Amino acid sequence: MASLAELATQLEIGPSLLAPVVAGALYVRLSWDAEAAQPEGRDWQIGAKTVLAAIALLGAFHFGRGLRALVHLLLTFERFGARLESLAPDLFVGGLVVAAALWLLFPRTNVEQYPRVRRLMAGIVALLGGILCIEGLVELVSALLAWPSWNAVALALSTVVTSAGSVAVGGYVLARESGIEVPPLPTRD
């Protein structure tokens, strides 16, 4: 069976094409929740938060792709300069988009009063990270058994490491936003 990345490549589906679909699904879900759970007052910023969420998720995809390429580069050190140059845009732009959306623009909305969008975003990150982690583990075991090259093993390992990070971050935020008791993150004293 083809991996998700191979399937997406075969169908020519990229993150830019999926972003509007994800935004539409987020908007429908947020609107449905708003109608059912908030009869006393409607959240009039659903549209703005949906756009920000879709942009943040697209940025997170690019950041994750750049981070995976960086981990792979650090595991192999092959063609270091050229590969570093090719991964830098994903890493830099993705990180900048996520930071701007989550820490600069989201706080200007009513996300504190109506936080459902944070739970949905965290759930999407955790879900996609989990799917990619399972796919990466399958690829890693296959690469270890066949051992075509260290490069193939390192690529699968970098996929597992970065997608496990997505599961951890998305799962932690989802749990915290859902009212599940989780340990606080360590802070600098």
Side-chain angles (χ1 to χ4, degrees), residues 20 24 33 37 52 56 93 103 115 136 141 165:
D33 283 348
L52 288 174
V93 172
W103 289 292
V141 170

Side-chain angles (χ1 to χ4, degrees), residues 15 65 102 169 178 188:
R65 187 167 65 179
L102 296 182
V169 170
S178 299
R188 286 185 162 172

Side-chain angles (χ1 to χ4, degrees), residues 3 9 17 26-27 39 60 63 80 91-92 136 155 158 174 180:
S3 71
T9 302
L17 293 175
L26 279 170
Y27 185 79
F63 181 74
F80 193 86
L91 198 61
F92 178 72
L155 182 60
S158 64
L174 180 60
I180 297 171

Side-chain angles (χ1 to χ4, degrees), residues 58-68 90-92 94-96 98:
L58 182 60
F61 172 83
H62 283 284
F63 181 74
R65 187 167 65 179
L67 191 58
R68 183 188 71 152
D90 273 333
L91 198 61
F92 178 72
L96 189 62
V98 169

Side-chain angles (χ1 to χ4, degrees), residues 1 4 26 31 42 47 52-53 80 108 116 147 149 157:
M1 179 164 189
L4 290 176
L26 279 170
S31 296
R42 181 156 167 96
L52 288 174
F80 193 86
R108 295 175 186 232
R116 289 182 195 266
W147 200 273
S149 67
L157 182 59

Side-chain angles (χ1 to χ4, degrees), residues 131-185:
I131 291 169
L132 291 173
C133 190
I134 291 168
E135 289 288 317
L137 283 169
V138 169
E139 289 178 29
L140 179 61
V141 170
S142 297
L144 286 171
L145 293 174
W147 200 273
S149 67
W150 168 244
N151 191 33
V153 172
L155 182 60
L157 182 59
S158 64
T159 299
V160 170
V161 168
T162 55
S163 58
S166 294
V167 171
V169 170
Y172 180 85
V173 173
L174 180 60
R176 191 184 72 207
E177 292 293 323
S178 299
I180 297 171
E181 193 170 320
V182 291
L185 293 175

Side-chain angles (χ1 to χ4, degrees), residues 10-11 16 22 34 38 45 52 54 62 66 68 71 85 93-94 99 101 107-108 111 118 121 126 139 142 146 154 168:
Q10 290 170 356
L11 298 175
S16 298
V22 170
Q38 300 154 0
Q45 294 183 358
L52 288 174
H62 283 284
R68 183 188 71 152
V71 170
E85 189 175 306
V93 172
R108 295 175 186 232
V111 74
R118 288 193 301 221
M121 286 175 49
E139 289 178 29
S142 297

